[in-house]
Amino acid sequence: MSPTVDTTPIARQKRNRFLLQAACIAVSLFMLIPIYLISLAALSTRASLNDFPLSLLPTNLSVETLNGFLGATGIFGALGNSLIVGAGTLILAALIGVPAGYALARFSFRGKDPYQLFLLFTRALPIVVLSVPLARLFLTVDIYDTTYAVILLHTALALPTTILISASVFLSVPIDVEEAARLFGCSPLGAFGRVVLPMALPGLAAASIFTFVMSWNEVLGASILTLDHRTLPAQVLSSLSDSPLAYRFAGGFALVIPSIIFIALMRRYLTNMWGSTIR
């Protein structure tokens, strides 16, 4: 008589795997459906936006709505400002945050844990709490209403995330490899640049995604600190209440697409907090 096999653990594992996949699909649909609806409206004719019920299929594709948005006053200038601010924030946050993250990962010093907690506290501050005092300061030093002012604000907002993610990534790089490079004649800076940085580059690229997307989508601080040199989200927000429906959909489409393109370009480098590449 053959012994009976308890298949309960296997059935439980299959059920858990199915539930996990279903949850992932639900979350993906929750994020993708609004993007699809905004894209469909932005790439439809203006007349079709007034139809009832609205078609959920791309039956009236046209660039009329998008061309009307792009032809509005100040849109191309605001788009250029957003790209400048995003790139400037990315570079400045990396120049400051990566060395700070390396120091957290490699050195022990008094006040290390309170310092990391302080970083989280600064990120918890509302943007308006930072924007109003900074606006007064920037008026004093004569950089108000410039892209430099917005870059400084966005860098202050991005630094906590950049530092903590960089520290986690550098912790995943074995210290033995760095010490071996120094034994073979590399200086501390040379070991960092030739050995540690290439191994940590995928994780740092993941941190850059958070920095760029945060800078691209931030609107409140940019609206307070600028008048004539606004970023694209601030420009759209300032004219949203007086704009037709087509302008609003096209504006949402224009704000979403650059972030998606940047994430798609950096996807191959996207890593988790410990630096292992996601396949």
Side-chain angles (χ1 to χ4, degrees):
M1 181 176 179
S2 59
T4 58
V5 178
D6 185 8
T7 60
T8 303
I10 299 177
R12 185 185 300 112
Q13 183 180 9
K14 290 182 178 180
R15 184 180 68 252
N16 293 338
R17 185 179 302 174
F18 172 78
L19 292 176
L20 178 61
Q21 292 177 350
C24 292
I25 293 174
V27 172
S28 299
L29 290 176
F30 178 77
M31 294 185 292
L32 289 176
I33 289 177
I35 297 176
Y36 171 76
L37 294 177
I38 291 175
S39 302
L40 181 63
L43 297 175
S44 301
T45 61
R46 295 189 180 186
S48 64
L49 296 179
N50 297 321
D51 293 342
F52 184 83
L54 295 175
S55 175
L56 297 180
L57 298 176
T59 56
N60 296 298
L61 292 180
S62 173
V63 294
E64 176 188 359
T65 300
L66 196 57
N67 285 337
F69 171 78
L70 295 177
T73 304
I75 292 299
F76 275 105
L79 177 60
N81 291 335
S82 286
L83 293 175
I84 293 173
V85 169
T89 302
L90 190 61
I91 294 172
L92 190 57
L95 290 176
I96 300 174
V98 171
Y102 179 80
L104 283 177
R106 287 291 188 260
F107 303 108
S108 297
F109 52 89
R110 182 177 298 177
K112 181 178 178 179
D113 292 337
Y115 172 72
Q116 297 182 70
L117 187 61
F118 174 75
L119 289 175
L120 295 176
F121 280 158
T122 58
R123 192 63 185 91
L125 289 174
I127 296 177
V128 67
V129 174
L130 296 173
S131 300
V132 174
L134 284 176
R136 182 178 180 85
L137 175 62
F138 293 157
L139 282 170
T140 304
V141 299
D142 198 24
I143 61 171
Y144 181 79
D145 194 20
T146 63
T147 54
Y148 305 112
V150 185
I151 289 174
L152 291 176
L153 172 63
H154 289 181
T155 301
L157 296 175
L159 270 179
T161 303
T162 302
I163 293 174
L164 295 177
I165 292 179
S166 299
S168 298
V169 170
F170 285 125
L171 282 173
S172 69
V173 179
I175 193 171
D176 297 342
V177 177
E178 185 177 358
E179 292 175 348
R182 296 184 64 179
L183 286 176
F184 281 101
C186 285
S187 64
L189 185 59
F192 174 79
R194 296 182 180 183
V195 178
V196 178
L197 189 59
M199 296 180 66
L201 192 59
L204 300 180
S208 71
I209 292 178
F210 290 98
T211 301
F212 181 84
V213 172
M214 184 281 301
S215 177
W216 181 269
N217 293 329
E218 199 282 320
V219 59
L220 181 59
S223 300
I224 295 175
L225 297 179
T226 56
L227 291 175
D228 298 326
H229 297 83
R230 287 185 164 172
T231 59
L232 187 59
Q235 180 70 24
V236 171
L237 178 65
S238 64
S239 56
L240 202 60
S241 59
D242 301 326
S243 302
L245 188 62
Y247 180 94
R248 302 179 186 183
F249 283 121
F253 180 78
L255 290 176
V256 168
I257 291 303
S259 296
I260 294 178
I261 293 175
F262 181 80
I263 293 174
L265 293 176
M266 303 298 289
R267 173 63 181 86
R268 62 191 296 260
Y269 298 109
L270 187 60
T271 61
N272 60 18
M273 294 298 182
W274 293 271
S276 60
T277 306
I278 296 175
R279 298 296 182 183

Short mmCIF file of all heavy atoms in Angstrom, two decimals, residues 217-254:
data_model
loop_
_atom_site.label_atom_id
_atom_site.label_comp_id
_atom_site.label_asym_id
_atom_site.label_seq_id
_atom_site.Cartn_x
_atom_site.Cartn_y
_atom_site.Cartn_z
N ASN A 217 7.91 66.25 -10.74
CA ASN A 217 6.51 66.32 -10.32
C ASN A 217 6.25 67.38 -9.26
O ASN A 217 5.08 67.71 -9.01
CB ASN A 217 6.05 64.97 -9.78
CG ASN A 217 5.99 63.91 -10.87
OD1 ASN A 217 5.72 64.21 -12.03
ND2 ASN A 217 6.25 62.67 -10.49
N GLU A 218 7.29 67.91 -8.61
CA GLU A 218 7.07 68.87 -7.54
C GLU A 218 6.49 70.17 -8.10
O GLU A 218 6.99 70.72 -9.08
CB GLU A 218 8.40 69.16 -6.82
CG GLU A 218 8.25 69.77 -5.45
CD GLU A 218 7.93 71.26 -5.50
OE1 GLU A 218 8.51 71.97 -6.35
OE2 GLU A 218 7.10 71.71 -4.69
N VAL A 219 5.44 70.69 -7.47
CA VAL A 219 4.74 71.84 -8.03
C VAL A 219 4.59 72.99 -7.04
O VAL A 219 4.68 74.16 -7.44
CB VAL A 219 3.34 71.39 -8.55
CG1 VAL A 219 2.51 70.80 -7.43
CG2 VAL A 219 2.60 72.54 -9.20
N LEU A 220 4.40 72.69 -5.76
CA LEU A 220 4.11 73.75 -4.80
C LEU A 220 5.31 74.67 -4.61
O LEU A 220 5.19 75.90 -4.69
CB LEU A 220 3.68 73.15 -3.46
CG LEU A 220 3.33 74.16 -2.36
CD1 LEU A 220 2.21 75.09 -2.81
CD2 LEU A 220 2.95 73.44 -1.06
N GLY A 221 6.48 74.09 -4.34
CA GLY A 221 7.67 74.90 -4.14
C GLY A 221 8.03 75.70 -5.37
O GLY A 221 8.40 76.88 -5.28
N ALA A 222 7.92 75.08 -6.55
CA ALA A 222 8.23 75.79 -7.79
C ALA A 222 7.26 76.94 -8.04
O ALA A 222 7.64 77.98 -8.59
CB ALA A 222 8.21 74.82 -8.97
N SER A 223 6.01 76.78 -7.62
CA SER A 223 5.03 77.86 -7.79
C SER A 223 5.32 79.04 -6.87
O SER A 223 5.09 80.20 -7.23
CB SER A 223 3.62 77.32 -7.52
OG SER A 223 3.29 76.27 -8.40
N ILE A 224 5.83 78.74 -5.65
CA ILE A 224 6.11 79.81 -4.70
C ILE A 224 7.39 80.56 -5.06
O ILE A 224 7.47 81.79 -4.93
CB ILE A 224 6.21 79.24 -3.27
CG1 ILE A 224 4.84 78.67 -2.84
CG2 ILE A 224 6.67 80.30 -2.27
CD1 ILE A 224 4.87 77.98 -1.50
N LEU A 225 8.38 79.84 -5.56
CA LEU A 225 9.70 80.43 -5.78
C LEU A 225 9.88 81.04 -7.16
O LEU A 225 10.93 81.64 -7.43
CB LEU A 225 10.78 79.36 -5.57
CG LEU A 225 10.88 78.77 -4.16
CD1 LEU A 225 11.97 77.71 -4.11
CD2 LEU A 225 11.16 79.86 -3.14
N THR A 226 8.92 80.90 -8.05
CA THR A 226 9.07 81.44 -9.40
C THR A 226 7.79 82.14 -9.85
O THR A 226 6.69 81.83 -9.38
CB THR A 226 9.38 80.32 -10.41
OG1 THR A 226 8.37 79.31 -10.34
CG2 THR A 226 10.74 79.69 -10.14
N LEU A 227 7.98 83.08 -10.77
CA LEU A 227 6.86 83.77 -11.41
C LEU A 227 6.95 83.67 -12.93
O LEU A 227 6.00 83.28 -13.59
CB LEU A 227 6.83 85.25 -10.97
CG LEU A 227 6.47 85.51 -9.51
CD1 LEU A 227 6.61 87.01 -9.20
CD2 LEU A 227 5.06 85.03 -9.19
N ASP A 228 8.10 84.06 -13.48
CA ASP A 228 8.29 84.07 -14.93
C ASP A 228 9.12 82.90 -15.43
O ASP A 228 9.24 82.71 -16.65
CB ASP A 228 8.96 85.37 -15.37
CG ASP A 228 8.11 86.60 -15.04
OD1 ASP A 228 6.87 86.48 -15.12
OD2 ASP A 228 8.68 87.65 -14.71
N HIS A 229 9.74 82.14 -14.54
CA HIS A 229 10.59 81.01 -14.93
C HIS A 229 10.07 79.74 -14.27
O HIS A 229 10.81 79.00 -13.63
CB HIS A 229 12.05 81.27 -14.53
CG HIS A 229 12.67 82.44 -15.21
ND1 HIS A 229 12.50 83.73 -14.76
CD2 HIS A 229 13.44 82.51 -16.33
CE1 HIS A 229 13.16 84.56 -15.56
NE2 HIS A 229 13.73 83.85 -16.51
N ARG A 230 8.80 79.47 -14.46
CA ARG A 230 8.18 78.33 -13.79
C ARG A 230 8.47 77.04 -14.53
O ARG A 230 8.67 77.01 -15.74
CB ARG A 230 6.68 78.54 -13.68
CG ARG A 230 6.33 79.60 -12.65
CD ARG A 230 4.84 79.74 -12.45
NE ARG A 230 4.57 80.47 -11.21
CZ ARG A 230 3.37 80.88 -10.83
NH1 ARG A 230 2.32 80.63 -11.60
NH2 ARG A 230 3.22 81.52 -9.69
N THR A 231 8.47 75.96 -13.74
CA THR A 231 8.57 74.63 -14.34
C THR A 231 7.23 74.25 -14.96
O THR A 231 6.22 74.92 -14.75
CB THR A 231 8.98 73.60 -13.28
OG1 THR A 231 7.98 73.60 -12.23
CG2 THR A 231 10.34 73.94 -12.68
N LEU A 232 7.23 73.16 -15.71
CA LEU A 232 6.01 72.76 -16.41
C LEU A 232 4.85 72.46 -15.46
O LEU A 232 3.73 72.92 -15.69
CB LEU A 232 6.30 71.56 -17.30
CG LEU A 232 5.16 71.12 -18.23
CD1 LEU A 232 4.76 72.25 -19.16
CD2 LEU A 232 5.56 69.88 -19.03
N PRO A 233 5.04 71.71 -14.35
CA PRO A 233 3.92 71.50 -13.43
C PRO A 233 3.38 72.80 -12.85
O PRO A 233 2.17 72.98 -12.72
CB PRO A 233 4.51 70.60 -12.33
CG PRO A 233 5.64 69.90 -12.99
CD PRO A 233 6.21 70.89 -13.95
N ALA A 234 4.28 73.73 -12.49
CA ALA A 234 3.83 75.01 -11.94
C ALA A 234 3.10 75.83 -13.00
O ALA A 234 2.11 76.52 -12.70
CB ALA A 234 5.03 75.79 -11.39
N GLN A 235 3.57 75.77 -14.24
CA GLN A 235 2.91 76.50 -15.32
C GLN A 235 1.52 75.95 -15.59
O GLN A 235 0.56 76.71 -15.77
CB GLN A 235 3.77 76.42 -16.59
CG GLN A 235 3.22 77.15 -17.80
CD GLN A 235 3.26 78.66 -17.64
OE1 GLN A 235 4.06 79.18 -16.87
NE2 GLN A 235 2.41 79.36 -18.37
N VAL A 236 1.39 74.63 -15.60
CA VAL A 236 0.08 74.01 -15.81
C VAL A 236 -0.85 74.35 -14.66
O VAL A 236 -2.03 74.66 -14.85
CB VAL A 236 0.24 72.49 -15.99
CG1 VAL A 236 -1.12 71.80 -16.00
CG2 VAL A 236 0.99 72.18 -17.27
N LEU A 237 -0.34 74.29 -13.44
CA LEU A 237 -1.18 74.57 -12.27
C LEU A 237 -1.69 76.01 -12.28
O LEU A 237 -2.86 76.26 -11.95
CB LEU A 237 -0.39 74.32 -10.99
CG LEU A 237 -1.13 74.61 -9.68
CD1 LEU A 237 -2.31 73.66 -9.50
CD2 LEU A 237 -0.18 74.50 -8.49
N SER A 238 -0.85 76.95 -12.67
CA SER A 238 -1.24 78.36 -12.65
C SER A 238 -2.35 78.68 -13.65
O SER A 238 -3.11 79.64 -13.45
CB SER A 238 -0.02 79.25 -12.93
OG SER A 238 0.48 79.01 -14.24
N SER A 239 -2.45 77.89 -14.72
CA SER A 239 -3.47 78.17 -15.74
C SER A 239 -4.56 77.11 -15.78
O SER A 239 -5.39 77.11 -16.70
CB SER A 239 -2.79 78.25 -17.13
OG SER A 239 -2.07 77.07 -17.41
N LEU A 240 -4.59 76.22 -14.79
CA LEU A 240 -5.51 75.10 -14.84
C LEU A 240 -6.97 75.53 -14.66
O LEU A 240 -7.86 75.03 -15.36
CB LEU A 240 -5.13 74.08 -13.75
CG LEU A 240 -5.62 72.65 -13.95
CD1 LEU A 240 -5.06 72.08 -15.24
CD2 LEU A 240 -5.21 71.78 -12.77
N SER A 241 -7.23 76.45 -13.75
CA SER A 241 -8.61 76.82 -13.45
C SER A 241 -9.29 77.53 -14.61
O SER A 241 -10.52 77.46 -14.74
CB SER A 241 -8.64 77.70 -12.20
OG SER A 241 -7.87 78.87 -12.40
N ASP A 242 -8.52 78.22 -15.46
CA ASP A 242 -9.11 78.97 -16.57
C ASP A 242 -8.95 78.26 -17.91
O ASP A 242 -9.18 78.87 -18.95
CB ASP A 242 -8.44 80.36 -16.67
CG ASP A 242 -8.62 81.17 -15.40
OD1 ASP A 242 -9.68 81.03 -14.75
OD2 ASP A 242 -7.70 81.91 -15.03
N SER A 243 -8.56 77.00 -17.89
CA SER A 243 -8.25 76.29 -19.13
C SER A 243 -9.38 75.35 -19.51
O SER A 243 -10.11 74.85 -18.65
CB SER A 243 -6.95 75.48 -18.97
OG SER A 243 -5.88 76.32 -18.61
N PRO A 244 -9.54 75.08 -20.81
CA PRO A 244 -10.56 74.12 -21.24
C PRO A 244 -10.16 72.70 -20.87
O PRO A 244 -9.01 72.42 -20.47
CB PRO A 244 -10.58 74.31 -22.76
CG PRO A 244 -9.24 74.87 -23.10
CD PRO A 244 -8.83 75.72 -21.94
N LEU A 245 -11.10 71.79 -21.02
CA LEU A 245 -10.87 70.39 -20.63
C LEU A 245 -9.74 69.76 -21.43
O LEU A 245 -8.94 68.99 -20.89
CB LEU A 245 -12.17 69.60 -20.83
CG LEU A 245 -12.18 68.16 -20.28
CD1 LEU A 245 -11.98 68.16 -18.78
CD2 LEU A 245 -13.49 67.48 -20.66
N ALA A 246 -9.65 70.10 -22.71
CA ALA A 246 -8.61 69.52 -23.55
C ALA A 246 -7.22 69.91 -23.05
O ALA A 246 -6.29 69.09 -23.05
CB ALA A 246 -8.79 69.99 -25.00
N TYR A 247 -7.06 71.15 -22.60
CA TYR A 247 -5.77 71.61 -22.07
C TYR A 247 -5.38 70.81 -20.83
O TYR A 247 -4.21 70.46 -20.64
CB TYR A 247 -5.87 73.10 -21.75
CG TYR A 247 -4.60 73.71 -21.19
CD1 TYR A 247 -3.68 74.33 -22.04
CD2 TYR A 247 -4.33 73.68 -19.83
CE1 TYR A 247 -2.53 74.89 -21.54
CE2 TYR A 247 -3.16 74.25 -19.32
CZ TYR A 247 -2.27 74.86 -20.18
OH TYR A 247 -1.12 75.41 -19.68
N ARG A 248 -6.34 70.50 -19.99
CA ARG A 248 -6.05 69.77 -18.75
C ARG A 248 -5.58 68.35 -19.04
O ARG A 248 -4.61 67.87 -18.44
CB ARG A 248 -7.28 69.76 -17.87
CG ARG A 248 -7.79 71.16 -17.51
CD ARG A 248 -9.04 71.09 -16.65
NE ARG A 248 -9.59 72.43 -16.43
CZ ARG A 248 -10.64 72.68 -15.66
NH1 ARG A 248 -11.26 71.68 -15.05
NH2 ARG A 248 -11.09 73.92 -15.52
N PHE A 249 -6.26 67.68 -19.96
CA PHE A 249 -5.83 66.32 -20.30
C PHE A 249 -4.46 66.32 -20.97
O PHE A 249 -3.60 65.49 -20.66
CB PHE A 249 -6.86 65.66 -21.23
CG PHE A 249 -8.08 65.18 -20.51
CD1 PHE A 249 -9.34 65.64 -20.86
CD2 PHE A 249 -7.99 64.24 -19.49
CE1 PHE A 249 -10.48 65.20 -20.21
CE2 PHE A 249 -9.12 63.78 -18.83
CZ PHE A 249 -10.37 64.26 -19.19
N ALA A 250 -4.25 67.25 -21.90
CA ALA A 250 -2.95 67.32 -22.57
C ALA A 250 -1.85 67.69 -21.59
O ALA A 250 -0.72 67.19 -21.69
CB ALA A 250 -3.01 68.34 -23.71
N GLY A 251 -2.15 68.54 -20.62
CA GLY A 251 -1.17 68.89 -19.60
C GLY A 251 -0.79 67.70 -18.75
O GLY A 251 0.39 67.48 -18.45
N GLY A 252 -1.77 66.89 -18.34
CA GLY A 252 -1.47 65.69 -17.58
C GLY A 252 -0.64 64.71 -18.38
O GLY A 252 0.29 64.08 -17.85
N PHE A 253 -0.94 64.58 -19.68
CA PHE A 253 -0.16 63.69 -20.54
C PHE A 253 1.28 64.18 -20.66
O PHE A 253 2.23 63.38 -20.58
CB PHE A 253 -0.82 63.63 -21.92
CG PHE A 253 -0.12 62.75 -22.91
CD1 PHE A 253 -0.26 61.37 -22.85
CD2 PHE A 253 0.68 63.30 -23.89
CE1 PHE A 253 0.39 60.56 -23.76
CE2 PHE A 253 1.33 62.50 -24.81
CZ PHE A 253 1.19 61.12 -24.75
N ALA A 254 1.47 65.47 -20.84
CA ALA A 254 2.82 66.03 -20.97
C ALA A 254 3.62 65.90 -19.69
O ALA A 254 4.85 65.80 -19.73
CB ALA A 254 2.73 67.50 -21.39
#
